[in-house]
Amino acid sequence: MNEFITHTQVEEAAAAVRSRTNYQPTIGLVLGSGLSSLADAIEDPDIITYAEIPHWPASTVPGHSGRLVIGKLEGKTVLVQQGRAHFYEGHPMANIVLPIRVMHMLGVRTLIVTNAAGGINAAFTPGDLMIIKDHLNMLGIAGNNPLRGPNDDAFGPRFPDMIDAYTPALRKLAKETAVANNFNIQEGVYAYVAGPSFETPAELRFLRTVGADAVGMSTVPSVVIARHAGMRILGISSITNKAVPDPKPGTELTHTEVLEIGKLIIPRLTALLRGVLKKI
Ligand code: HPA
């Protein structure tokens, strides 16, 4: 496992996908913890396991399936990444984001990313959906940006802009879709931390102070890479638990809880994604 990925490695991975499907996807959809079953909605799918694709990082986390599902949803050709690799599993940062470069090489120009996240904003309740409007890349700020290393000019510039990384028109569309389906949707800033330990009360106090509304262990590296390549991006967090510095005594956060609340959110998230895809 190298620290950085090469253009050739991305080409090899993209060629493996191309040889296994006749679809030409234009929209990429990344499904986070507990949200994998959304891929069941894909019509006439071609299914490719991660093990069939060279250089593709495997996910070892329960709740992450490890397959690409390519097919039709709401009339659009979608490539679904069912399960993702995380930094805490031991992958170098550059490997985690290889799938996004592969998607771009296959023709994907819009990326929809979902995740499970802890709700830092006191107004958030487990079961809420949150449109990501901006992020805090805690690892990136501290030196582990996925673009660290030689820049691949074929994808984008050395110093990409990150203002409005989460495409305003797609955020608006997501809000309108929630209204049309009669459910509330939050909007906020997602803080990316490495994990796998959940945050201490002091860390949550810190994140709240610097403007985070939600916290999680994924998504942001993918968004940086997608933005670098000029893709349109929509990020949706499922708020699976309260992430507050003063929890009720006796409440302890577990991954099982994250997965269970994730399941409850699926019908709304499905309606949201279908509505967005229809109009995109
Ligand atoms: N913290 C970090 N990641 C998470 C959380 C959390 O509280 N919930 C789901 N993913």
Side-chain angles (χ1 to χ4, degrees):
M1 210 165 10
N2 294 322
E3 187 177 4
F4 305 120
I5 48 169
T6 63
H7 198 79
T8 308
Q9 286 174 314
V10 181
E11 278 171 343
E12 287 168 356
V17 176
R18 249 187 239 114
S19 71
R20 287 166 174 79
T21 184
N22 291 321
Y23 285 118
Q24 296 194 329
T26 55
I27 298 168
L29 174 57
V30 183
L31 298 180
S33 293
L35 309 173
S36 267
S37 67
L38 266 173
D40 300 343
I42 302 293
E43 296 148 31
D44 298 324
D46 286 335
I47 295 171
I48 307 170
T49 60
Y50 292 173
E52 296 173 70
I53 313 170
H55 317 300
W56 197 280
S59 171
T60 58
V61 193
H64 285 260
S65 307
R67 311 188 308 173
L68 284 187
V69 182
I70 310 173
K72 292 280 183 185
L73 191 58
E74 296 297 339
K76 303 290 174 354
T77 309
V78 190
L79 179 150
V80 183
Q81 192 187 328
Q82 204 181 22
R84 56 154 77 87
H86 303 80
F87 186 66
Y88 60 75
E89 293 173 79
H91 305 278
M93 189 60 85
N95 289 54
I96 291 169
V97 295
L98 172 122
I100 307 300
R101 290 241 160 116
V102 172
M103 285 185 204
H104 187 271
M105 208 173 259
L106 293 170
V108 169
R109 294 294 177 269
T110 302
L111 181 70
I112 303 177
V113 269
T114 64
N115 60 47
I120 291 181
N121 188 319
F124 291 4
T125 334
D128 279 353
L129 286 171
M130 183 189 90
I131 300 165
I132 305 177
K133 71 172 175 200
D134 199 353
H135 69 223
L136 284 160
N137 185 356
M138 301 307 292
L139 280 73
I141 291 171
N144 213 336
N145 190 295
L147 292 169
R148 180 174 170 271
N151 186 57
D152 190 339
D153 297 333
F155 286 104
R158 170 78 287 186
F159 300 106
D161 179 67
M162 289 297 292
I163 296 169
D164 282 340
Y166 299 84
T167 311
L170 294 181
R171 283 159 42 202
K172 183 164 172 275
L173 179 56
K175 254 180 259 175
E176 289 165 358
T177 307
V179 170
N181 284 276
N182 294 313
F183 60 79
N184 281 330
I185 196 154
Q186 311 282 5
E187 188 167 33
V189 174
Y190 175 93
Y192 170 53
V193 295
S197 51
F198 289 117
E199 300 68 42
T200 65
E203 286 163 351
L204 290 174
R205 220 170 282 124
F206 167 76
L207 291 172
R208 190 172 67 184
T209 305
V210 296
D213 295 295
V215 56
M217 305 172 191
S218 69
T219 302
V220 165
S222 303
V223 166
V224 171
I225 292 298
R227 174 67 167 164
H228 178 243
M231 289 159 80
R232 292 174 8 119
I233 298 161
L234 175 65
I236 304 288
S237 290
S238 292
I239 305 297
T240 52
N241 55 282
K242 276 193 169 285
V244 291
D246 42 10
K248 284 195 209 99
T251 47
E252 195 179 288
L253 179 58
T254 63
H255 185 58
T256 312
E257 178 184 342
V258 168
L259 294 181
E260 273 169 15
I261 300 290
K263 265 190 229 150
L264 292 180
I265 298 175
I266 283 183
R268 265 174 297 141
L269 188 56
T270 308
L272 182 72
L273 296 178
R274 279 186 181 278
V276 167
L277 283 173
K278 210 178 279 177
K279 297 215 172 134
I280 220 163

